Amino acid sequence: MNIRKSILTMLFVLITMLANAQSFTLSGKVSDEDGNAIELATISCLEQGAVTMANLKGEYSLKLHTADSVVVKFSMVGYQTRIRVLRKPKGNQRLLVTLHPMKALDEVVVTERRRQTTATEELDIKSQKLGPSTTGNAVEELVQQQAGVSSHNELSSQYNVRGGSFDENSVYINNVEVYRPLLIRSGQQEGLSVINSNMVERVAFSSGGFEAKYGDRMSSALDIQYRKPIRWEGNLLASLLGGSAFIGYGDKKFSMSHGVRYKTNRYLLGSLETKGEYKPNFLDYQTYITYQPNERWMVDFIGNISENHYNFKPSDRETSFGTMQNVKSFKVYFDGQEKDVFRTLFGTLRLQRIFSPQTKVSLLGSAFHTKEQETYDIMGQYWLDDAQTQESLGVGTYMEHARNYLTANVASVKLMANHKTRKHDWELGATIKWEKIEENSREYEMRDSSGYSIPHSADRLDLIYSLRSNNNISSTRIEAYIQDTYRFQSGGEGEEVQPTLWTLNYGVRLANWSWNKETIVSPRVSLAMIPAWNQDMTFRLSTGLYYQAPFYKEMRDTSTVNGQTVVKLNEKIKSQRSLHVVGAFDYRFRMANRPFRFSAEAYFKLMDNLIPYNVQNMKVVYYGENVAKGHAFGLDLKLFGEFVPGTDSWLTFSVMSTKQKINGVSVPLPTDQRWGVNLHFTDYFPGTERWKMTLRLAFADGLPFGAPHRGLEYQQFRAPAYKRADIGLSYLLVGDPQKPSSFKKPRVWLGIDGLNIFGISNVNSYYWVTDVTNQQYAVPNYLTGRQINGKVIVEF
């Protein structure tokens, strides 16, 4: 009996020893070169499928199985990844690891991405550089592919976010808000955006619930930071749609970047149904210069000059529309021309005092100038026939005339300060802006159907549309904000217990406008949690009160007397207001040993003091009065990851519902895209990294529309769904895909893009034809057809 008891005791001791020998605990701290803790660094052992994150003090603890050798990886965005190999580890092992900053010259594959703990997501612009493009504006095209964002015009870089208008999106470059031309009414007129993608280092985008530092816009915020080169670098691009050249240089004290871009969409416009002589030419130059004489002072400058010309002489057009059983044919012969000029200047100057790596104060001055003219006299003689019976349904003439001139100047001075502590990141700013805008516009449209002017009157000649505007405004805006990002943790007592990590961002924004004497207060708050029970998950909740401060277009109020519409500026106009509530969930996981992230965001926006507007092509025309209220709610889903090893791809799906109530009538917002799907997929050809393919698919619900010059209450129709597929193929002719390019060893890419490869006829807007019985026909204006674009890219 004693022998049996002794054997059992020995077996128990042996099992206990084996169990202890099979596992060990690795703990320690991750810090940078200066000994500062690196928060949320990732510590992983891929062979064992184990991963953890450092807490806010840089400390970590990870339980692993012992082996002859255990490989542990330490990584963090912005730092070089470190690999440590432990030989037959046992018991408790402690490692103090120092991560070194990433060298700007290195081209690396980021295996761990920074967690999104606020309402702002960082986007990777690299995925756009070799992809197909119609606008040449890579940053905006990247934004247009995100969940909750919609665009129904491949010729335009503008976008709608969660039911908002084009004007509800703020854009910042190096902490200064930038502006767009005001008279743009079509994608054909749009030139190059102010953002030069060759100079961009960081892109951050929020589709709702964003921080207090971003200005008074109701829908989204796009934050751009330009890159400071640290050596000679550059690239050249030439294609059938234009070209660009970029060169940069930098050392420890001085850096400069220069970019020239040229765009012509003449080749694309040739696929439109309206034939004629298109002569669009868009040119811009941009520079970014920095100088840091010592560790305490820095000065930088951004300058931009843009000259956009759009000349067009239409000749004829033929469009078939309707159903299979009821096909109509619309033929037009044109006379006349259009000449547009958009000339903009933009500059910022920043002086920064660096008291310490944690405390900085900056003084920024900026100026924006735009001089725009839109002039056209176009007459069209049309025939509307039944395509099956050849019956003539209408014959007539129309003439469109415009002499629109606008000059705008905006100057600002901004003082901002940043201070970081171990748990807090404070930021505050105060801005004063001076705005001066002058407009002199005259537009009219005449329609004649079968010898009768429309609208028909027995005793006088009336035009179907006539507008006159001669206004100017000088005003001052004062803005201020303060916000804090507070990071803390709860639980996590003991080395083997993971804490719950929290990020709280809270702030308030104030603004006053001298024009209407209005003062607005905008509190905003967001909370993110990385739970202890699964640190691959992140939960986020954000809310706030957001205002759309009126700019020039919103305050243009119209009154019509005897067929003549006159524009006056409404001094009683108020800011539109929207309450955002956004709940989000992120889940990181690995599939086929590749990183993926699934994100879901549910949102609700309650809006009042709305200024209703109509959208015709890219032109937004406001009522000029706060006469509506409404709401928007929806769900955005996104799957992001390496569908193919070493590449970024994503799939998004969005559903949304919007309503606004005008004069007691409830109607959808003009940008009510009820659902949308986007796919961005990249791949390499099997067996080589020299061939790269990028596929973009867009499938989105059509938008509401109705007859022109009528209220939104009468928009009872909805356009067909927008469907488009673009594919780009690139081949690395010269250079090594595994090594960075240089002046001595450049890389040369040859590319070919298939644009709208399925040749789908997407509807952009409608031209309405009226016969003598006052019956109207909506003739669709189709977007571009199938086209092929070739390009050459040289990187050095």
Side-chain angles (χ1 to χ4, degrees):
M1 188 73 179
N2 292 332
I3 295 175
R4 182 181 178 186
K5 185 177 181 180
S6 299
I7 293 174
L8 291 174
T9 302
M10 292 177 63
L11 288 173
F12 176 76
V13 172
L14 182 60
I15 291 172
T16 302
M17 292 176 61
L18 289 173
N20 291 333
Q22 288 176 355
S23 64
F24 70 99
T25 300
L26 178 66
S27 61
K29 183 178 181 180
V30 184
S31 57
D32 60 18
E33 294 175 334
D34 298 323
N36 299 316
I38 298 179
E39 305 169 353
L40 305 181
T42 300
I43 302 93
S44 60
C45 178
L46 298 181
E47 292 83 356
Q48 300 185 20
V51 63
T52 189
M53 296 177 63
N55 61 20
L56 300 181
K57 298 179 181 179
E59 298 171 346
Y60 68 93
S61 179
L62 184 64
K63 195 167 185 178
L64 300 170
H65 298 293
T66 190
D68 290 338
S69 62
V70 178
V71 180
V72 183
K73 182 170 69 172
F74 300 80
S75 60
M76 183 63 185
V77 173
Y79 294 87
Q80 299 179 25
T81 298
R82 290 203 66 180
I83 304 292
R84 297 297 297 268
V85 180
L86 308 179
R87 302 295 181 184
K88 297 182 179 180
K90 298 179 181 178
N92 294 322
Q93 300 283 326
R94 185 166 178 82
L95 275 181
L96 303 179
V97 177
T98 299
L99 297 184
H100 301 281
M102 187 72 68
K103 296 180 180 179
L105 302 183
D106 295 342
E107 289 193 2
V108 298
V109 177
V110 179
T111 57
E112 300 289 346
R113 296 179 182 271
R114 183 179 296 275
R115 291 290 188 99
Q116 183 183 346
T117 54
T118 66
T120 303
E121 177 186 7
E122 292 198 13
L123 306 178
D124 188 359
I125 190 64
K126 292 181 181 178
S127 61
Q128 297 293 110
K129 292 194 173 180
L130 295 178
S133 174
T134 55
T135 67
N137 300 317
V139 173
E140 287 87 347
E141 289 182 336
L142 175 62
V143 171
Q144 289 172 352
Q145 299 173 69
Q146 304 307 308
V149 183
S150 63
S151 174
H152 289 73
N153 191 333
E154 64 271 9
L155 295 172
S156 173
S157 61
Q158 300 191 62
Y159 49 88
N160 309 113
V161 179
R162 293 177 175 172
S165 74
F166 303 133
D167 302 319
E168 295 178 19
N169 308 310
S170 61
V171 180
Y172 288 80
I173 298 180
N174 286 18
N175 301 308
V176 174
E177 188 173 9
V178 297
Y179 300 86
R180 301 175 183 269
L182 300 176
L183 292 183
I184 294 291
R185 61 181 174 84
S186 69
Q188 292 93 311
Q189 296 172 308
E190 274 198 39
L192 294 154
S193 81
V194 69
I195 305 171
N196 188 326
S197 60
N198 291 319
M199 304 169 70
V200 170
E201 179 180 50
R202 174 180 172 269
V203 178
F205 177 71
S206 175
S207 53
F210 39 88
E211 301 98 308
K213 66 179 179 179
Y214 298 120
D216 298 306
R217 294 289 185 270
M218 288 201 305
S219 290
S220 75
L222 178 62
D223 189 354
I224 305 296
Q225 293 293 325
Y226 275 178
R227 183 180 72 255
K228 294 191 293 185
I230 63 172
R231 65 159 189 175
W232 284 106
E233 62 176 83
N235 62 64
L236 299 171
L237 180 146
S239 77
L240 297 177
L241 301 179
S244 66
F246 165 76
I247 189 167
Y249 167 78
D251 55 29
K252 293 182 178 180
K253 292 186 177 182
F254 175 78
S255 72
M256 63 176 182
S257 300
H258 303 279
V260 177
R261 296 177 295 169
Y262 171 74
K263 170 186 169 182
T264 175
N265 52 14
R266 180 177 183 177
Y267 176 61
L268 275 179
L269 299 181
S271 64
L272 298 176
E273 289 190 333
T274 299
K275 305 302 180 183
E277 186 178 346
Y278 291 93
K279 290 185 177 180
N281 295 286
F282 313 115
L283 179 68
D284 93 330
Y285 164 75
Q286 195 160 156
T287 183
Y288 176 44
I289 300 172
T290 71
Y291 177 60
Q292 187 169 358
N294 52 53
E295 295 181 354
R296 297 301 182 189
W297 292 95
M298 187 191 75
V299 60
D300 64 9
F301 170 75
I302 297 177
N304 175 251
I305 302 173
S306 178
E307 184 87 6
N308 299 327
H309 292 259
Y310 177 73
N311 298 325
F312 175 45
K313 290 183 178 181
S315 59
D316 61 90
R317 164 185 174 173
E318 183 171 355
T319 303
S320 296
F321 65 99
T323 63
M324 294 293 293
Q325 293 76 27
N326 187 14
V327 182
K328 303 292 190 299
S329 175
F330 180 65
K331 297 180 181 180
V332 188
Y333 293 95
F334 297 100
D335 189 19
Q337 63 180 335
E338 176 177 356
K339 290 187 176 182
D340 305 329
V341 178
F342 303 92
R343 183 177 295 111
T344 61
L345 305 173
F346 171 70
T348 71
L349 180 66
R350 176 175 62 172
L351 178 65
Q352 186 176 75
R353 176 71 163 92
I354 307 170
F355 293 93
S356 70
Q358 293 77 34
T359 306
K360 301 175 183 178
V361 176
S362 302
L363 181 65
L364 302 94
S366 69
F368 170 79
H369 167 80
T370 180
K371 188 172 184 178
E372 308 171 22
Q373 74 171 42
E374 181 187 42
T375 61
Y376 55 82
D377 286 285
I378 296 177
M379 183 176 68
Q381 295 180 325
Y382 66 85
W383 287 261
L384 180 65
D385 301 324
D386 188 308
Q388 296 171 321
T389 65
Q390 303 302 315
E391 177 187 359
S392 178
L393 302 176
V395 177
T397 301
Y398 68 87
M399 181 173 182
E400 297 175 341
H401 166 92
R403 293 293 184 271
N404 299 329
Y405 303 93
L406 184 141
T407 302
N409 295 284
V410 180
S412 70
V413 175
K414 180 178 182 179
L415 179 66
M416 62 180 297
N418 302 82
H419 178 66
K420 296 182 179 181
T421 62
R422 189 169 64 88
K423 292 185 177 182
H424 293 270
D425 187 353
W426 290 94
E427 180 176 331
L428 57 91
T431 306
I432 182 169
K433 296 180 181 179
W434 299 273
E435 302 170 351
K436 184 176 182 180
I437 303 173
E438 299 177 354
E439 181 198 19
N440 188 359
S441 296
R442 172 74 175 176
E443 299 179 4
Y444 66 78
E445 180 181 353
M446 182 273 292
R447 291 189 190 177
D448 180 281
S449 179
S450 300
Y452 292 89
S453 178
I454 299 174
H456 179 65
S457 176
D459 55 353
R460 68 174 185 268
L461 177 64
D462 288 332
L463 300 174
I464 194 170
Y465 168 67
S466 177
L467 179 141
R468 182 170 44 113
S469 176
N470 190 355
N471 295 289
N472 63 81
I473 177 176
S474 296
S475 63
T476 303
R477 297 181 195 262
I478 298 176
E479 303 171 353
Y481 70 90
I482 182 171
Q483 69 172 45
D484 174 39
T485 302
Y486 174 40
R487 296 181 176 90
F488 59 99
Q489 61 188 43
S490 61
E493 300 295 335
E495 290 187 351
E496 297 184 7
V497 180
Q498 294 293 333
T500 297
L501 304 177
W502 301 85
T503 300
L504 174 65
N505 178 277
Y506 56 98
V508 63
R509 187 176 186 89
L510 305 172
N512 175 269
W513 190 27
S514 65
W515 174 260
N516 61 358
K517 310 298 189 297
E518 180 187 32
T519 299
I520 54 179
V521 181
S522 175
R524 307 172 188 181
V525 62
S526 68
L527 179 66
M529 179 188 73
I530 302 175
W533 43 271
N534 191 332
Q535 295 197 339
D536 287 323
M537 294 183 177
T538 304
F539 296 90
R540 291 180 283 113
L541 178 66
S542 59
T543 185
L545 196 59
Y546 295 83
Y547 288 88
Q548 177 76 18
F551 201 57
Y552 186 73
K553 290 195 293 185
E554 289 98 320
M555 70 179 74
R556 297 172 81 247
D557 192 10
T558 59
S559 58
T560 303
V561 179
N562 295 328
Q564 176 71 51
T565 301
V566 179
V567 176
K568 294 184 178 180
L569 302 183
N570 183 3
E571 295 186 9
K572 296 181 180 181
I573 198 76
K574 298 296 181 182
S575 297
Q576 302 176 84
R577 183 168 54 191
S578 176
L579 174 65
H580 289 199
V581 179
V582 182
F585 167 74
D586 295 336
Y587 177 57
R588 303 193 313 172
F589 62 97
R590 300 187 71 86
M591 186 168 58
N593 202 29
R594 297 194 294 271
F596 287 85
R597 184 183 77 245
F598 172 75
S599 301
E601 287 196 6
Y603 59 91
F604 176 77
K605 299 196 292 187
L606 184 63
M607 300 172 282
D608 62 353
N609 283 344
L610 290 181
I611 307 172
Y613 60 89
N614 284 290
V615 180
Q616 181 71 7
N617 201 322
M618 307 306 298
K619 185 177 181 179
V620 180
V621 180
Y622 291 88
Y623 277 37
E625 295 180 300
N626 305 93
V627 294
K629 59 182 179 180
H631 68 264
F633 62 89
L635 177 67
D636 296 331
L637 305 176
K638 180 178 180 180
L639 178 63
F640 177 93
E642 295 186 6
F643 293 21
V644 174
T647 66
D648 289 342
S649 301
W650 61 87
L651 173 68
T652 69
F653 174 72
S654 301
V655 291
M656 180 180 66
S657 175
T658 70
K659 291 291 183 182
Q660 65 176 338
K661 183 171 286 188
I662 310 172
N663 300 324
V665 180
S666 183
V667 296
L669 288 169
T671 54
D672 180 53
Q673 178 182 283
R674 296 173 297 186
W675 52 266
V677 180
N678 280 284
L679 172 66
H680 179 102
F681 179 74
T682 55
D683 193 5
Y684 291 102
F685 277 52
T688 179
E689 293 186 4
R690 289 187 173 274
W691 280 99
K692 187 174 182 179
M693 182 274 293
T694 303
L695 174 67
R696 294 179 188 163
L697 301 178
F699 186 26
D701 185 31
L703 302 180
F705 74 96
H709 315 307
R710 302 187 70 184
L712 292 172
E713 304 92 322
Y714 302 97
Q715 289 198 352
Q716 306 296 329
F717 308 101
R718 189 172 287 269
Y722 181 84
K723 303 180 286 287
R724 186 174 176 90
D726 298 328
I727 188 170
L729 300 175
S730 300
Y731 175 69
L732 183 59
L733 182 65
V734 177
D736 190 338
Q738 298 293 335
K739 296 181 180 180
S741 59
S742 65
F743 275 91
K744 293 182 179 180
K745 296 181 179 180
R747 289 197 295 194
V748 180
W749 291 89
L750 300 181
I752 184 169
D753 297 340
L755 307 176
N756 193 9
I757 55 176
F758 297 123
I760 299 172
S761 298
N762 289 304
V763 177
N764 176 36
S765 59
Y766 289 86
Y767 182 78
W768 291 78
V769 179
T770 309
D771 63 17
V772 70
T773 64
N774 209 30
Q775 182 176 353
Q776 292 188 318
Y777 298 88
V779 182
N781 297 317
Y782 292 112
L783 286 164
T784 58
R786 183 190 296 112
Q787 294 287 80
I788 300 296
N789 180 36
K791 59 187 178 183
V792 179
I793 302 174
V794 181
E795 301 173 341
F796 47 84

